[in-house]
Each structure stands twice: as C-alpha cells, then as structure tokens.
Amino acid sequence: MADTILYKAFPSREATLHLFDETGLIQSIPLRGRMLVGRNSSGHVCDIALNPQYISRRHGEIDQSEDQYFYTDLLSMNGTGINGKILCSRTEYLREELHNGDVITFGVQYMKGKPQNRVIGLFTQTETPICWQSLPLTEDIAELQIGRAVSEGIEMKDAAVSEKHASFFRSSGGWAIIDHNSTNGVSLNGKKVLYPQYLSPFDVVRIADAYFVFFGDWLIYSAGRRVEGPDEADSGRPVRGKQLCIHIVQRSVFQRFKKMMLLQDIDVTVSDGEMVLILGGSGAGKTTFVNAVMGYEKAKGKITYGDTDIYEEYERMKYEIGFVPQQDLLRGSDTVYDTLANAAEMKLPRGMSGEKREDRIREVLEDLGLTPEKDSLVSKLSGGQRKRLSIAVEYISDPSLFFLDEPDSGLDDIIGEGLMENLRGIADKGKIVMIITHSPERARKFLDKVIVLAKSTEDNCGHLAFFGSVQEAFDFFETDTFRGIIKRINRKDENGEGLADYYIEKYNAGNRRK
C-alpha cells in the first residue's frame, strides 16, 4: 500500500489535539477556550468525546490562557498521562501545561500493559497545517531512514533536520529508533533519545516539527514525503484516509445514431497526497478520462472520494475539484494580486473573514512562487509565471482533487520542471494531483503513480494498460523512459510499436492473478 494521507489538521495557528486509537488517526480537533474531555452518555455531551468505557464522563479539561494551553485531570477514575507523568488524584484537580508535541494518554492507570482499545492524544501548536500519512512497515523494510538527504526512507526538507537524522530499524527484539548524532536530536514520548530504543504500540517519535506514531507494523507520520523505497502495493493493510476510487465501466457517445465507445474497464484507486501522471498514446482518451472522473462528462460506472459519490453529489463535490485547462482565461490588464483576489471572492465561502481571505491569497502566492510578482500586470508575466497564476486561480479554493491538462505546455525544461515541483508541493499538502503532459520526463522525480491508457485495435477504445509506481511502469513496459512507454503502445503509423493490445492484456492478466 502506498503512503496515504489521512486527515489534514485544522489549518490555523491555534493548537490542535490529534486523537489516535488502534485503527490510526481518528480525529484532529482545533482547540479553543475551555473544552471538556470525557465519555458521552445520556444527557451528557463532551467537547472532546472518547468512547472506551474506562474513560470517565468528565475525564479532563483543556483550557487556554492567551497562547498557553493546560490539561487538567478532573478526578478521573483511571487518570491521565502526559509524556509519562501520571495525573491521577481522588481529592484534587491536577493541572499541567501543554507544550508542542506532548503525548496525552487517557486512562493511563487502566491501560498499563493493554495496547488494545487505547486512545492517546498528540498536542501540537503549529503555524502551518499538518498532513498525516500512513506507512506499512512490511517485511521487506529493514530500515527506514529519516533526513534531508536519504537514499531510502522519508525525506524532510527542514533546516532543523540533519542530512541523515535518524532511522527506524527492525531488530530481533522488534522495531527501534536510533538518532544518528543529529544536531537537534530525537524525542520518544517527550523524552530525548540518547541510545537505540525499542518501540511499543502508540509510541510517538518527534524529529524537529515532524511526528511519527508507531503501531507495531505500521506508522502514521507527518513529515516530508517518501523517496525511493520498497514497494508497498500488496501489503494488504486497510487504507486509512480518503481515496479517489475510479470505476469506469464505459464512456461512450452517439455519433450519427451509432454508439461509439471511448473508454472501457478502468479501475484505479488514488490516495490523498499522491501526484499522478496520466499517460497515453494518441486518441487513448486521456482528456475523456479526466472529464469522466471530475463528473463533467459522466461515464457508466462509479467515482467516489472517501464515502462520497461524485456523480450523485456533484453539486457539492464540484467545489472540491480544481481543473486547470490548457488555455488560460486571465485578463492581461489585472495585476497578479487582483486576479487572485477576484478568484477568492468568487470561490471562497461568503462567510470567510477578510483577514482569512487575505491569508489564503498570501499562502497561494507563496506556494506557487508568485509573491515577488503580486503587483505585476498579467500581460507582463513570463510564460511560466502565467501558468502558475492559472494554477493559483483554481488552487485558491483549496480543492481536494486537482486536475491539470498540459500545465507545462510551451515552457522550457527548467521552467517546466519548476512548475512540476510546485505541483508536488500542492500534493504534499494532502491533495490528489493528476496531470496530463506531453513532457512527462519533467515530472518523473515528483510522481507517486502513473496511469497508462492505450487504444485497443480490437475495439478502437481506450483501456487501462497500467497503473502503479514510476519504476513499476518502466519494468512493466521494459523501458526506462516515458517516451519508451508511449512508443510501445502507439500504432506503427504513429511511429510506435503497435503493442497496445499486448500490454492491455498483460495488465489485465496480472490483475486476474492477484
């Protein structure tokens, strides 16, 4: 299973409590004022509700005093732990100040030696949203490196992180964490790691501003993105978090009273946080596929995002979808800032305050590298800047699903690769980014998955010829470039090898064996 984004923490500067149970991350709750923690019952509702029976109805309370947050145990039956310190008293309320990265264990007395049915909270107070990802620790992973320059593991672009900062590694006694003499250290459940330490379920490791929650045979983490690592596609672990599930039985049109098939039999599942290339030969149906997935042109089948059917709830879901076409519709006489301000006025909720709207505009300008050009006229922008502004206009509404048709068309290799890096940054914020491009090599190092569509000579219809990682695609088509893949599946009269039918059948046969 590939990395999957789970939930995005509340996007503000306020504190957040992230709750985990044995299934993973269950909720990220923004903290404001005074909030009661406990178990709901008839006539009694808590601000932060926990289900286990060992949780008291009035278990604890989180309150705020200016920028400081405090947790108070309200004479709970089984107490509370904060970084190993136990708050449990039958006679007085015990209050503890919370700091960024503190781990809260609810019902700590009851939970001694009982990993099941446990609930822990992670308190964070950050300037930017936190995106959580899930990673299975499969049998073929012996070590997971963490750092700014790692060959295999999780890459973190953070100045506070050393080049090879730490590693999770498998030993005879189970999984452990080791600090590789990093500059800023590693903490385990709020305490500095001085030597290799074994991990137990629900342990929380902190590296700079990133967190890793250990669950035995998988991790939930909030850091960077994966780099070249072991294949996880067949781990069998249930996916935790939203996915875009695409099941297209067929997409057809009628021409001169005759039914013409455009796409057929496509099953693909994409996870939050993934950047996906849609690759295909001439006439394979790339644009048709995108339009069908977005719900603009419905196909026979089912497209779901999380628990939501995009076709059935299109009026609501269309606000979750961003689409950047090849041709921009920008007014040359407007400035970059005015263009985004107009887009924000149209696309952001009417009830959003002016301050939050300005924050969103500034964030988008920064994400797309347009801050230095915010006062420039659109007509004076370079081709690359204009492309980024077109993307910014759609991105301003913070869509969950982002589709782009030839976003780098007309750009040279350096500018085009820079644009792809911008899109990778958007995906890393928990978005699904899907692109069509005629220059796919520019995107190669930023991609998580590749969808390959090919037009069958048997029915003159687009089919799925491959779906998987970049390296898997190259192995499948026995080539080392995207150009080589297209050459394999294009017809011979299109300077191809005419092997579309072969690879469609090869992919289908492989799926039948699974």
Side-chain angles (χ1 to χ4, degrees):
M1 184 191 77
D3 297 359
T4 58
I5 300 292
L6 303 175
Y7 296 90
K8 185 173 73 176
F10 190 78
S12 78
R13 293 180 177 83
E14 297 180 4
T16 305
L17 183 67
H18 310 276
L19 294 173
F20 301 83
D21 66 10
E22 65 268 19
T23 68
L25 181 68
I26 54 176
Q27 205 171 3
S28 288
I29 302 172
L31 302 175
R32 297 188 184 91
R34 191 177 297 273
M35 301 182 74
L36 178 64
V37 181
R39 180 166 47 85
N40 285 343
S41 61
S42 178
H44 175 80
V45 178
C46 298
D47 301 302
I48 301 174
L50 307 176
N51 293 325
Q53 291 299 308
Y54 61 81
I55 301 293
S56 300
R57 289 195 305 161
R58 289 174 49 84
H59 198 98
E61 181 180 77
I62 296 177
D63 66 284
Q64 177 185 3
S65 176
E66 296 183 349
D67 289 334
Q68 292 179 302
Y69 288 80
F70 298 86
Y71 180 90
T72 303
D73 187 89
L74 302 177
L75 309 183
S76 67
M77 179 66 69
N78 291 300
T80 309
I82 299 180
N83 297 336
K85 179 179 179 179
I86 297 176
L87 307 181
C88 185
S89 173
R90 301 296 172 84
T91 58
E92 60 177 326
Y93 291 168
L94 299 178
R95 191 169 188 246
E96 189 80 9
E97 183 177 352
L98 294 175
H99 302 92
N100 190 29
D102 278 354
V103 179
I104 305 172
T105 304
F106 301 99
V108 65
Q109 300 281 48
Y110 176 85
M111 291 313 302
K112 286 182 178 178
K114 300 176 183 177
Q116 297 301 314
N117 205 27
R118 180 175 296 189
V119 178
I120 68 165
L122 174 65
F123 173 84
T124 63
Q125 195 170 13
T126 60
E127 294 289 329
T128 56
I130 290 179
C131 290
W132 293 98
Q133 306 184 56
S134 173
L135 172 64
L137 298 172
T138 52
E139 290 296 328
D140 54 352
I141 301 177
E143 180 185 13
L144 190 68
Q145 300 174 5
I146 315 294
R148 281 190 294 111
V150 295
S151 60
E152 192 170 287
I154 297 175
E155 187 179 45
M156 295 172 59
K157 298 300 185 183
D158 186 330
V161 177
S162 300
E163 289 193 358
K164 188 177 180 184
H165 197 108
S167 289
F168 292 91
F169 65 96
R170 190 192 301 271
S171 70
S172 58
W175 279 94
I177 180 73
I178 184 172
D179 181 358
H180 296 304
N181 297 315
S182 63
T183 302
N184 293 303
V186 178
S187 71
L188 174 61
N189 299 325
K191 298 177 181 178
K192 186 176 178 64
V193 172
L194 301 175
Y195 48 86
Q197 289 188 246
Y198 283 113
L199 298 173
S200 299
F202 292 93
D203 277 349
V204 178
V205 173
R206 181 179 178 183
I207 297 174
D209 285 328
Y211 301 93
F212 303 80
V213 187
F214 179 73
F215 289 90
D217 59 350
W218 55 290
L219 281 174
I220 287 181
Y221 69 99
S222 67
R225 63 188 182 92
R226 290 295 307 282
V227 295
E228 300 292 328
D231 176 30
E232 302 151 5
D234 299 317
S235 69
R237 176 165 298 287
V239 173
R240 298 167 174 82
K242 285 189 176 182
Q243 291 183 303
L244 176 65
C245 298
I246 302 166
H247 174 60
I248 296 176
V249 177
Q250 63 177 40
R251 168 76 177 101
S252 59
V253 294
F254 280 90
Q255 288 187 350
R256 298 181 181 178
F257 306 103
K258 183 178 179 180
K259 187 176 182 179
M260 182 177 179
M261 203 72 71
L262 303 178
L263 291 173
Q264 196 168 358
D265 300 330
I266 298 177
D267 281 285
V268 167
T269 299
V270 180
S271 300
D272 278 349
E274 290 187 330
M275 183 169 168
V276 181
L277 171 68
I278 302 168
L279 194 66
S282 177
K286 298 183 294 293
T287 301
T288 301
F289 170 76
V290 167
N291 288 339
V293 173
M294 292 190 297
Y296 290 180
E297 298 174 354
K298 294 181 180 178
K300 181 180 179 182
K302 189 171 185 176
I303 315 293
T304 59
Y305 179 59
D307 296 328
T308 304
D309 188 311
I310 291 178
Y311 287 178
E312 290 182 358
E313 300 188 49
Y314 179 72
E315 287 304 311
R316 177 169 69 85
M317 280 301 301
K318 66 183 180 182
Y319 299 105
E320 293 286 321
I321 298 171
F323 174 61
V324 181
Q326 282 183 257
Q327 189 66 37
D328 70 58
L329 301 173
L330 305 175
R331 290 193 301 234
S333 57
D334 286 348
T335 66
V336 169
Y337 178 86
D338 289 339
T339 300
L340 272 188
N342 290 335
E345 187 175 352
M346 290 186 293
K347 296 173 181 288
L348 293 177
R350 292 185 181 276
M352 179 178 283
S353 68
E355 183 181 357
K356 286 190 175 181
R357 187 171 295 181
E358 287 294 319
D359 286 344
R360 179 59 185 163
I361 292 171
R362 283 194 292 270
E363 180 185 3
V364 171
L365 285 169
E366 187 66 28
D367 286 349
L368 274 303
L370 290 169
T371 301
E373 308 299 331
K374 68 185 182 68
D375 296 322
S376 300
L377 290 175
V378 172
S379 60
K380 300 299 183 181
L381 298 178
S382 68
Q385 292 165 345
R386 194 173 179 112
K387 289 285 186 181
R388 293 203 300 273
L389 182 57
S390 294
I391 293 170
V393 166
E394 284 297 312
Y395 184 50
I396 194 74
S397 63
D398 201 23
S400 300
L401 310 174
F402 210 36
F403 299 86
L404 303 100
D405 191 357
E406 296 293 334
D408 58 340
S409 176
L411 304 182
D412 63 37
D413 284 341
I414 294 176
I415 300 298
E417 184 174 327
L419 182 64
M420 292 302 171
E421 188 172 7
N422 291 139
L423 296 177
R424 176 69 253 177
I426 290 174
D428 286 340
K429 292 194 171 187
K431 314 298 181 185
I432 288 176
V433 177
M434 303 182 76
I435 60 169
I436 298 172
T437 175
H438 287 307
S439 303
E441 300 299 338
R442 298 168 172 174
R444 179 171 176 168
K445 66 182 179 182
F446 304 114
L447 296 170
D448 295 297
K449 298 287 178 59
V450 182
I451 294 170
V452 181
L453 301 176
K455 191 172 186 178
S456 170
T457 58
E458 294 183 1
D459 57 15
N460 203 38
C461 173
H463 291 259
L464 183 62
F466 178 80
F467 175 63
S469 71
V470 173
Q471 189 56 54
E472 288 171 337
F474 293 153
D475 293 343
F476 182 84
F477 288 97
E478 299 175 282
T479 182
D480 57 3
T481 64
F482 290 121
R483 182 179 181 276
I485 293 175
I486 296 300
K487 191 171 182 66
R488 290 276 195 267
I489 59 179
N490 267 2
R491 299 197 311 260
K492 291 183 178 180
D493 61 357
E494 297 171 330
N495 195 32
E497 297 174 7
L499 297 174
D501 292 333
Y502 168 77
Y503 284 107
I504 291 169
E505 176 54 32
K506 179 181 177 182
Y507 182 73
N508 289 335
N511 283 342
R512 286 195 294 268
R513 287 194 296 269
K514 291 180 180 179

